[in-house]
Amino acid sequence: MPILAKREHENNLPILLAHAMHQAIHCSTASTTPTIPISSHNDTASQTTPLTQPPTHNLDYTAVDAVAVTAGPGLAICLRVGLEYARALCLKHSKPLMAINHLEGHVLMARMTESLPFPFLVCLVSGGHSQLLVCRDIDNYTLLGGTVDDALGEVYDKVARYIMPSEWLTVHQPSGAMIEEWSKKGDGHAFAFPVPMRRHRNCDFSFSGLKTAVHRCVTQQLGGLNQLDDKTRADVAASFQRVAIAHLVDRTNRALGWCDIHKDKVAKLQGLVLCGGVARNQYITSQLRLVAKQHNVRLIIPPPELCTDNGAMIAWAGMERLLKFGPPGPVNDQVHSATIHTRWPLDPLTTNPATQHFPETSTNKYPTKPKRYSPNQTPHQSTVHKK
Protein backbone atom coordinates (compact mmCIF):
# COMPACT_ATOMS: atom_id res chain seq x y z
CA MET A 1 0.00 0.00 0.00
CA PRO A 2 2.70 2.61 0.82
CA ILE A 3 4.49 1.86 -2.47
CA LEU A 4 1.26 2.18 -4.47
CA ALA A 5 0.35 5.42 -2.69
CA LYS A 6 3.85 6.85 -3.26
CA ARG A 7 3.69 5.99 -6.96
CA GLU A 8 0.29 7.60 -7.48
CA HIS A 9 1.19 10.78 -5.60
CA GLU A 10 4.46 11.13 -7.53
CA ASN A 11 2.59 10.77 -10.80
CA ASN A 12 -0.16 13.22 -9.90
CA LEU A 13 1.77 15.98 -8.12
CA PRO A 14 2.86 17.87 -11.28
CA ILE A 15 -0.66 17.56 -12.71
CA LEU A 16 -2.24 18.77 -9.48
CA LEU A 17 0.06 21.78 -9.28
CA ALA A 18 -0.65 22.71 -12.89
CA HIS A 19 -4.41 22.57 -12.31
CA ALA A 20 -4.21 24.43 -9.00
CA MET A 21 -2.10 27.25 -10.43
CA HIS A 22 -4.23 27.48 -13.57
CA GLN A 23 -7.36 27.93 -11.48
CA ALA A 24 -5.80 30.34 -8.99
CA ILE A 25 -7.18 33.85 -9.53
CA HIS A 26 -4.41 35.89 -7.90
CA CYS A 27 -0.83 35.25 -6.92
CA SER A 28 1.31 37.11 -4.43
CA THR A 29 5.06 37.50 -4.30
CA ALA A 30 5.63 35.74 -1.00
CA SER A 31 4.15 33.08 1.18
CA THR A 32 4.91 31.76 4.63
CA THR A 33 5.04 28.04 5.16
CA PRO A 34 3.10 26.98 8.27
CA THR A 35 4.60 24.76 10.92
CA ILE A 36 2.12 22.36 12.43
CA PRO A 37 2.17 19.79 15.22
CA ILE A 38 1.59 16.23 14.06
CA SER A 39 0.86 13.62 16.71
CA SER A 40 2.51 10.24 16.54
CA HIS A 41 0.37 7.22 15.74
CA ASN A 42 0.19 6.17 19.40
CA ASP A 43 -0.44 9.71 20.70
CA THR A 44 2.39 9.35 23.25
CA ALA A 45 4.56 12.03 21.69
CA SER A 46 4.38 14.76 19.11
CA GLN A 47 6.77 16.61 16.88
CA THR A 48 6.73 19.87 15.01
CA THR A 49 7.08 19.29 11.28
CA PRO A 50 7.68 22.10 8.79
CA LEU A 51 5.72 21.57 5.58
CA THR A 52 7.38 23.07 2.55
CA GLN A 53 5.58 24.28 -0.56
CA PRO A 54 6.78 24.60 -4.15
CA PRO A 55 8.33 28.01 -4.92
CA THR A 56 5.54 28.75 -7.42
CA HIS A 57 2.85 28.26 -4.77
CA ASN A 58 2.67 31.94 -3.78
CA LEU A 59 -1.06 32.41 -3.46
CA ASP A 60 -2.76 35.52 -2.21
CA TYR A 61 -4.90 33.95 0.52
CA THR A 62 -7.26 36.91 0.52
CA ALA A 63 -8.52 35.49 -2.79
CA VAL A 64 -9.07 32.02 -1.27
CA ASP A 65 -12.61 31.29 -0.05
CA ALA A 66 -11.92 28.00 1.74
CA VAL A 67 -9.46 25.12 2.07
CA ALA A 68 -10.67 21.67 1.01
CA VAL A 69 -8.97 18.54 2.32
CA THR A 70 -9.53 14.80 2.10
CA ALA A 71 -10.98 13.59 5.41
CA GLY A 72 -11.72 10.01 4.35
CA PRO A 73 -12.13 7.23 3.63
CA GLY A 74 -8.56 5.95 3.72
CA LEU A 75 -5.56 5.22 5.92
CA ALA A 76 -5.71 7.17 9.17
CA ILE A 77 -2.07 8.25 9.21
CA CYS A 78 -2.25 9.67 5.68
CA LEU A 79 -5.55 11.43 6.31
CA ARG A 80 -4.26 12.95 9.54
CA VAL A 81 -1.24 14.54 7.85
CA GLY A 82 -3.41 16.26 5.25
CA LEU A 83 -6.02 17.38 7.78
CA GLU A 84 -3.43 18.89 10.14
CA TYR A 85 -1.81 20.81 7.29
CA ALA A 86 -5.19 22.12 6.09
CA ARG A 87 -6.15 23.02 9.67
CA ALA A 88 -2.95 25.05 10.08
CA LEU A 89 -3.61 26.93 6.83
CA CYS A 90 -7.20 27.71 7.86
CA LEU A 91 -6.24 28.99 11.29
CA LYS A 92 -3.35 31.04 9.94
CA HIS A 93 -5.44 32.74 7.24
CA SER A 94 -8.89 32.59 8.92
CA LYS A 95 -10.41 30.42 6.19
CA PRO A 96 -13.18 27.80 6.53
CA LEU A 97 -12.16 24.17 6.20
CA MET A 98 -14.10 21.83 3.87
CA ALA A 99 -13.69 18.18 4.94
CA ILE A 100 -14.22 16.19 1.75
CA ASN A 101 -15.10 12.54 1.17
CA HIS A 102 -12.60 11.50 -1.48
CA LEU A 103 -15.23 9.25 -3.11
CA GLU A 104 -17.34 12.36 -3.67
CA GLY A 105 -14.27 13.93 -5.22
CA HIS A 106 -14.14 11.12 -7.78
CA VAL A 107 -17.88 11.37 -8.45
CA LEU A 108 -18.00 15.14 -8.96
CA MET A 109 -14.81 15.27 -11.04
CA ALA A 110 -16.90 14.58 -14.14
CA ARG A 111 -18.74 17.87 -13.59
CA MET A 112 -15.47 19.78 -13.81
CA THR A 113 -14.70 18.58 -17.31
CA GLU A 114 -18.24 18.19 -18.69
CA SER A 115 -21.56 20.01 -18.43
CA LEU A 116 -23.41 17.39 -16.40
CA PRO A 117 -26.66 18.14 -14.53
CA PHE A 118 -28.13 15.86 -11.86
CA PRO A 119 -29.07 13.06 -11.54
CA PHE A 120 -26.59 10.60 -13.01
CA LEU A 121 -25.44 7.05 -12.37
CA VAL A 122 -21.89 6.53 -11.14
CA CYS A 123 -19.71 3.47 -11.66
CA LEU A 124 -16.81 4.05 -9.28
CA VAL A 125 -13.98 1.54 -9.66
CA SER A 126 -10.62 1.84 -7.96
CA GLY A 127 -8.12 -0.14 -5.93
CA GLY A 128 -10.28 0.09 -2.83
CA HIS A 129 -13.83 0.59 -4.07
CA SER A 130 -16.30 -0.80 -6.59
CA GLN A 131 -19.68 0.91 -6.33
CA LEU A 132 -22.76 1.83 -8.34
CA LEU A 133 -24.46 4.97 -7.05
CA VAL A 134 -27.19 7.33 -8.14
CA CYS A 135 -25.96 10.89 -7.66
CA ARG A 136 -29.07 13.03 -7.23
CA ASP A 137 -27.28 16.19 -6.05
CA ILE A 138 -24.35 17.33 -3.95
CA ASP A 139 -24.37 15.20 -0.80
CA ASN A 140 -27.34 13.17 -2.04
CA TYR A 141 -26.45 9.64 -3.09
CA THR A 142 -28.18 6.28 -3.24
CA LEU A 143 -25.98 3.19 -3.25
CA LEU A 144 -27.36 0.54 -5.61
CA GLY A 145 -24.51 -1.92 -5.26
CA GLY A 146 -21.01 -2.42 -3.91
CA THR A 147 -18.40 -5.13 -3.71
CA VAL A 148 -19.00 -7.90 -1.19
CA ASP A 149 -15.30 -8.78 -1.12
CA ASP A 150 -12.44 -7.41 -3.25
CA ALA A 151 -12.47 -4.23 -5.32
CA LEU A 152 -11.78 -4.44 -9.06
CA GLY A 153 -8.48 -2.56 -8.90
CA GLU A 154 -7.30 -4.75 -6.04
CA VAL A 155 -8.00 -7.90 -8.05
CA TYR A 156 -6.13 -6.52 -11.06
CA ASP A 157 -3.11 -6.02 -8.80
CA LYS A 158 -3.32 -9.54 -7.36
CA VAL A 159 -3.77 -11.23 -10.73
CA ALA A 160 -0.72 -9.36 -11.99
CA ARG A 161 1.29 -10.94 -9.17
CA TYR A 162 0.02 -14.37 -10.16
CA ILE A 163 1.16 -14.13 -13.78
CA MET A 164 3.97 -11.53 -13.86
CA PRO A 165 7.53 -11.98 -12.52
CA SER A 166 8.07 -9.85 -9.43
CA GLU A 167 10.85 -7.84 -11.09
CA TRP A 168 8.32 -6.58 -13.66
CA LEU A 169 6.11 -5.08 -10.96
CA THR A 170 7.70 -1.76 -10.09
CA VAL A 171 6.35 1.50 -8.75
CA HIS A 172 6.72 2.98 -12.24
CA GLN A 173 4.56 0.36 -13.96
CA PRO A 174 1.01 -0.01 -12.55
CA SER A 175 0.01 -3.66 -12.46
CA GLY A 176 -3.46 -2.87 -13.79
CA ALA A 177 -1.94 -1.23 -16.86
CA MET A 178 0.28 -4.29 -17.37
CA ILE A 179 -2.74 -6.60 -17.35
CA GLU A 180 -4.46 -4.36 -19.88
CA GLU A 181 -1.44 -4.32 -22.21
CA TRP A 182 -0.86 -8.07 -22.03
CA SER A 183 -4.56 -8.68 -22.62
CA LYS A 184 -4.27 -7.06 -26.04
CA LYS A 185 -1.89 -9.84 -27.08
CA GLY A 186 -3.98 -12.73 -25.77
CA ASP A 187 -7.16 -14.70 -26.45
CA GLY A 188 -9.91 -13.68 -24.03
CA HIS A 189 -11.65 -17.04 -24.47
CA ALA A 190 -8.60 -19.25 -23.92
CA PHE A 191 -9.63 -19.92 -20.30
CA ALA A 192 -13.27 -20.26 -19.24
CA PHE A 193 -13.24 -18.39 -15.93
CA PRO A 194 -16.73 -18.07 -14.39
CA VAL A 195 -18.58 -14.75 -14.53
CA PRO A 196 -19.46 -13.91 -10.90
CA MET A 197 -23.00 -13.54 -9.53
CA ARG A 198 -24.86 -14.18 -12.78
CA ARG A 199 -27.89 -15.46 -10.86
CA HIS A 200 -27.93 -12.74 -8.22
CA ARG A 201 -30.74 -10.23 -8.73
CA ASN A 202 -28.92 -7.19 -7.36
CA CYS A 203 -26.20 -4.73 -8.35
CA ASP A 204 -23.43 -6.01 -6.08
CA PHE A 205 -19.96 -6.98 -7.23
CA SER A 206 -17.85 -9.97 -6.24
CA PHE A 207 -14.35 -10.49 -7.64
CA SER A 208 -12.85 -12.83 -5.05
CA GLY A 209 -14.05 -16.02 -6.76
CA LEU A 210 -12.62 -14.89 -10.10
CA LYS A 211 -9.31 -14.07 -8.43
CA THR A 212 -9.21 -17.54 -6.88
CA ALA A 213 -10.07 -19.19 -10.22
CA VAL A 214 -7.13 -17.44 -11.90
CA HIS A 215 -4.78 -18.43 -9.08
CA ARG A 216 -5.83 -22.08 -9.26
CA CYS A 217 -5.48 -22.07 -13.03
CA VAL A 218 -1.93 -20.74 -12.85
CA THR A 219 -0.73 -22.91 -9.95
CA GLN A 220 -2.56 -26.18 -10.66
CA GLN A 221 -3.40 -26.27 -14.37
CA LEU A 222 -0.40 -24.40 -15.78
CA GLY A 223 2.31 -25.47 -13.31
CA GLY A 224 2.99 -22.14 -11.66
CA LEU A 225 4.31 -18.72 -12.59
CA ASN A 226 7.73 -19.94 -13.71
CA GLN A 227 6.14 -22.23 -16.32
CA LEU A 228 4.22 -19.48 -18.12
CA ASP A 229 5.40 -18.46 -21.55
CA ASP A 230 4.40 -15.11 -23.04
CA LYS A 231 1.49 -16.54 -25.06
CA THR A 232 -0.04 -18.27 -22.03
CA ARG A 233 0.53 -15.20 -19.84
CA ALA A 234 -1.29 -13.03 -22.38
CA ASP A 235 -4.16 -15.53 -22.65
CA VAL A 236 -4.63 -15.65 -18.87
CA ALA A 237 -4.58 -11.84 -18.67
CA ALA A 238 -7.07 -11.50 -21.52
CA SER A 239 -9.41 -14.17 -20.13
CA PHE A 240 -9.36 -12.61 -16.69
CA GLN A 241 -10.04 -9.13 -18.02
CA ARG A 242 -12.86 -10.30 -20.28
CA VAL A 243 -14.71 -11.97 -17.38
CA ALA A 244 -14.02 -9.20 -14.84
CA ILE A 245 -15.37 -6.55 -17.18
CA ALA A 246 -18.30 -8.75 -18.21
CA HIS A 247 -19.25 -8.78 -14.52
CA LEU A 248 -18.83 -5.00 -14.30
CA VAL A 249 -20.95 -4.50 -17.41
CA ASP A 250 -23.65 -6.88 -16.16
CA ARG A 251 -23.99 -5.05 -12.83
CA THR A 252 -23.94 -1.61 -14.49
CA ASN A 253 -26.51 -2.73 -17.03
CA ARG A 254 -28.75 -3.92 -14.20
CA ALA A 255 -28.37 -0.60 -12.34
CA LEU A 256 -29.29 1.37 -15.46
CA GLY A 257 -32.26 -0.92 -15.96
CA TRP A 258 -33.43 -0.35 -12.41
CA CYS A 259 -33.24 3.43 -12.94
CA ASP A 260 -35.16 3.10 -16.23
CA ILE A 261 -37.97 1.19 -14.53
CA HIS A 262 -38.25 3.14 -11.27
CA LYS A 263 -39.04 6.59 -12.61
CA ASP A 264 -40.86 7.32 -9.34
CA LYS A 265 -37.59 6.98 -7.44
CA VAL A 266 -35.06 8.36 -9.93
CA ALA A 267 -35.59 11.17 -12.44
CA LYS A 268 -34.30 10.68 -15.97
CA LEU A 269 -30.57 10.04 -15.82
CA GLN A 270 -28.40 12.69 -17.46
CA GLY A 271 -25.42 10.41 -17.87
CA LEU A 272 -23.34 7.45 -16.75
CA VAL A 273 -20.09 8.47 -15.02
CA LEU A 274 -17.14 6.09 -14.94
CA CYS A 275 -14.58 7.26 -12.39
CA GLY A 276 -11.79 6.04 -10.12
CA GLY A 277 -8.31 4.82 -10.99
CA VAL A 278 -9.52 1.77 -12.93
CA ALA A 279 -11.49 4.09 -15.25
CA ARG A 280 -8.23 4.62 -17.16
CA ASN A 281 -8.62 1.11 -18.61
CA GLN A 282 -9.59 1.46 -22.29
CA TYR A 283 -11.28 -1.93 -22.49
CA ILE A 284 -13.63 -0.97 -19.65
CA THR A 285 -14.33 2.32 -21.39
CA SER A 286 -15.21 0.61 -24.68
CA GLN A 287 -17.55 -1.90 -23.01
CA LEU A 288 -19.40 0.66 -20.88
CA ARG A 289 -19.78 2.91 -23.91
CA LEU A 290 -21.87 0.15 -25.49
CA VAL A 291 -23.99 -0.14 -22.34
CA ALA A 292 -24.54 3.62 -22.22
CA LYS A 293 -25.59 3.63 -25.88
CA GLN A 294 -28.05 0.82 -25.21
CA HIS A 295 -29.72 2.90 -22.48
CA ASN A 296 -29.47 6.15 -24.43
CA VAL A 297 -27.30 7.98 -21.88
CA ARG A 298 -23.97 9.73 -22.21
CA LEU A 299 -20.84 8.07 -20.86
CA ILE A 300 -18.70 10.66 -19.07
CA ILE A 301 -15.14 9.83 -18.01
CA PRO A 302 -12.71 12.35 -16.47
CA PRO A 303 -9.35 12.76 -18.25
CA PRO A 304 -6.99 9.88 -17.39
CA GLU A 305 -4.75 12.05 -15.22
CA LEU A 306 -7.78 13.00 -13.10
CA CYS A 307 -9.12 9.46 -12.64
CA THR A 308 -6.62 8.42 -9.99
CA ASP A 309 -6.56 10.11 -6.57
CA ASN A 310 -5.54 13.75 -6.96
CA GLY A 311 -5.90 17.08 -5.21
CA ALA A 312 -7.80 18.80 -8.01
CA MET A 313 -10.85 16.59 -7.46
CA ILE A 314 -10.88 17.47 -3.75
CA ALA A 315 -10.66 21.17 -4.54
CA TRP A 316 -13.52 20.85 -7.04
CA ALA A 317 -15.72 18.95 -4.58
CA GLY A 318 -14.97 21.61 -1.97
CA MET A 319 -16.02 24.34 -4.39
CA GLU A 320 -19.25 22.53 -5.29
CA ARG A 321 -20.15 22.12 -1.62
CA LEU A 322 -19.21 25.70 -0.77
CA LEU A 323 -21.40 27.08 -3.56
CA LYS A 324 -24.37 24.92 -2.53
CA PHE A 325 -24.17 25.00 1.27
CA GLY A 326 -21.94 27.97 2.06
CA PRO A 327 -19.18 27.93 4.71
CA PRO A 328 -19.66 25.09 7.22
CA GLY A 329 -19.63 27.40 10.27
CA PRO A 330 -17.46 29.71 12.39
CA VAL A 331 -13.83 29.15 11.38
CA ASN A 332 -12.36 28.28 14.76
CA ASP A 333 -15.20 25.93 15.74
CA GLN A 334 -15.42 23.90 12.56
CA VAL A 335 -11.64 23.79 11.95
CA HIS A 336 -10.98 22.31 15.39
CA SER A 337 -13.96 19.95 15.18
CA ALA A 338 -12.98 18.49 11.78
CA THR A 339 -11.98 14.85 12.01
CA ILE A 340 -10.90 11.98 9.77
CA HIS A 341 -13.07 9.03 8.76
CA THR A 342 -11.30 5.82 7.77
CA ARG A 343 -14.70 4.50 6.67
CA TRP A 344 -17.08 7.01 5.15
CA PRO A 345 -19.88 5.80 2.84
CA LEU A 346 -21.42 8.37 0.52
CA ASP A 347 -24.89 7.06 1.21
CA PRO A 348 -25.59 7.83 4.90
CA LEU A 349 -28.15 5.01 5.07
CA THR A 350 -25.64 2.40 3.98
CA THR A 351 -24.57 -0.13 6.58
CA ASN A 352 -23.10 -2.86 4.38
CA PRO A 353 -22.97 -3.02 0.59
CA ALA A 354 -23.69 -6.75 0.79
CA THR A 355 -27.29 -5.93 1.75
CA GLN A 356 -28.03 -4.24 -1.58
CA HIS A 357 -30.73 -6.55 -2.93
CA PHE A 358 -33.48 -6.13 -5.45
CA PRO A 359 -36.84 -7.88 -5.40
CA GLU A 360 -37.24 -11.08 -7.37
CA THR A 361 -39.15 -10.82 -10.62
CA SER A 362 -40.62 -13.04 -13.29
CA THR A 363 -37.66 -12.31 -15.58
CA ASN A 364 -33.92 -12.56 -15.08
CA LYS A 365 -33.12 -9.23 -16.68
CA TYR A 366 -34.44 -6.48 -14.39
CA PRO A 367 -36.68 -6.20 -11.36
CA THR A 368 -40.17 -4.93 -12.20
CA LYS A 369 -42.13 -4.72 -8.92
CA PRO A 370 -40.81 -3.37 -5.62
CA LYS A 371 -42.21 -6.25 -3.56
CA ARG A 372 -39.67 -6.01 -0.80
CA TYR A 373 -39.62 -2.33 0.13
CA SER A 374 -42.11 0.44 0.79
CA PRO A 375 -42.38 3.58 -1.41
CA ASN A 376 -40.12 5.43 1.03
CA GLN A 377 -37.39 2.81 0.91
CA THR A 378 -34.48 2.66 -1.49
CA PRO A 379 -33.28 -0.64 -2.99
CA HIS A 380 -30.53 -1.18 -0.42
CA GLN A 381 -33.09 -1.23 2.39
CA SER A 382 -34.95 -4.24 1.00
CA THR A 383 -34.48 -7.71 2.41
CA VAL A 384 -33.03 -10.72 0.69
CA HIS A 385 -35.56 -12.67 -1.34
CA LYS A 386 -34.90 -16.41 -1.22
CA LYS A 387 -34.81 -18.25 -4.49
Side-chain angles (χ1 to χ4, degrees), residues 113-156:
T113 57
E114 298 278 348
S115 175
L116 178 62
F118 299 105
F120 52 86
L121 182 70
V122 179
C123 179
L124 196 166
V125 281
S126 66
H129 301 87
S130 296
Q131 296 183 353
L132 286 163
L133 307 114
V134 176
C135 178
R136 304 171 190 270
D137 203 340
I138 310 297
D139 201 30
N140 187 348
Y141 302 92
T142 299
L143 180 65
L144 298 185
T147 182
V148 300
D149 39 59
D150 298 334
L152 180 55
E154 179 185 3
V155 173
Y156 262 84

Side-chain angles (χ1 to χ4, degrees), residues 66-333:
V67 175
V69 63
T70 303
L75 298 175
I77 189 170
C78 301
L79 296 171
R80 189 175 294 114
V81 170
L83 180 61
E84 294 295 341
Y85 189 14
R87 182 179 283 137
L89 284 175
C90 291
L91 293 175
K92 179 178 178 61
H93 299 285
S94 297
K95 300 297 179 182
L97 186 147
M98 310 292 293
I100 303 299
N101 185 317
H102 102 263
L103 300 181
E104 185 171 55
H106 279 302
V107 170
L108 297 180
M109 190 79 259
R111 284 169 51 86
M112 189 183 94
T113 57
E114 298 278 348
S115 175
L116 178 62
F118 299 105
F120 52 86
L121 182 70
V122 179
C123 179
L124 196 166
V125 281
S126 66
H129 301 87
S130 296
Q131 296 183 353
L132 286 163
L133 307 114
V134 176
C135 178
R136 304 171 190 270
D137 203 340
I138 310 297
D139 201 30
N140 187 348
Y141 302 92
T142 299
L143 180 65
L144 298 185
T147 182
V148 300
D149 39 59
D150 298 334
L152 180 55
E154 179 185 3
V155 173
Y156 262 84
D157 287 339
K158 290 181 178 178
V159 169
R161 296 176 204 166
Y162 298 159
I163 66 175
M164 309 287 179
S166 58
E167 59 269 20
W168 293 7
L169 304 175
T170 68
V171 296
H172 301 293
Q173 179 60 53
S175 51
M178 291 187 68
I179 293 289
E180 182 182 5
E181 287 303 313
W182 277 88
S183 295
K184 296 175 182 178
K185 311 171 188 176
D187 177 7
H189 295 275
F191 298 93
F193 298 130
V195 178
M197 302 182 74
R198 270 284 171 88
R199 296 183 179 181
H200 289 248
R201 295 181 174 91
N202 56 41
C203 294
D204 286 336
F205 300 99
S206 175
F207 295 101
S208 180
L210 174 59
K211 174 191 68 178
T212 301
V214 174
H215 184 260
R216 287 178 177 172
C217 175
V218 172
T219 57
Q220 299 178 13
Q221 181 178 342
L222 301 176
L225 171 61
N226 295 332
Q227 301 301 314
L228 299 182
D229 56 29
D230 286 352
K231 177 64 170 62
T232 305
R233 181 175 290 110
D235 286 346
V236 173
S239 298
F240 157 74
Q241 177 166 263
R242 177 187 63 82
V243 173
I245 306 312
H247 179 43
L248 183 74
V249 166
D250 176 61
R251 303 287 98 180
T252 306
N253 195 42
R254 178 173 286 277
L256 284 166
W258 187 89
C259 293
D260 287 342
I261 292 170
H262 295 289
K263 300 296 186 183
D264 58 324
K265 297 181 181 295
V266 182
K268 180 176 174 56
L269 294 177
Q270 301 300 309
L272 168 62
V273 171
L274 174 63
C275 59
V278 185
R280 297 168 62 116
N281 185 297
Q282 295 179 2
Y283 182 69
I284 295 177
T285 300
S286 65
Q287 295 303 300
L288 285 189
R289 201 174 299 281
L290 297 176
V291 175
K293 184 177 180 180
Q294 177 185 346
H295 290 271
N296 196 29
V297 295
R298 287 189 299 156
L299 177 66
I300 299 100
I301 308 170
E305 65 271 16
L306 296 178
C307 285
T308 51
D309 291 350
N310 62 85
M313 73 183 192
I314 303 303
W316 178 263
M319 187 200 71
E320 291 249 39
R321 296 183 72 88
L322 187 65
L323 291 176
K324 182 173 179 63
F325 302 114
V331 172
N332 285 340
D333 292 347

Side-chain angles (χ1 to χ4, degrees), residues 3 6 28 59 86 114 234 258 301 327 329 352 364 374:
I3 293 178
K6 178 177 182 293
S28 62
L59 293 179
E114 298 278 348
W258 187 89
I301 308 170
N352 184 347
N364 289 331
S374 68

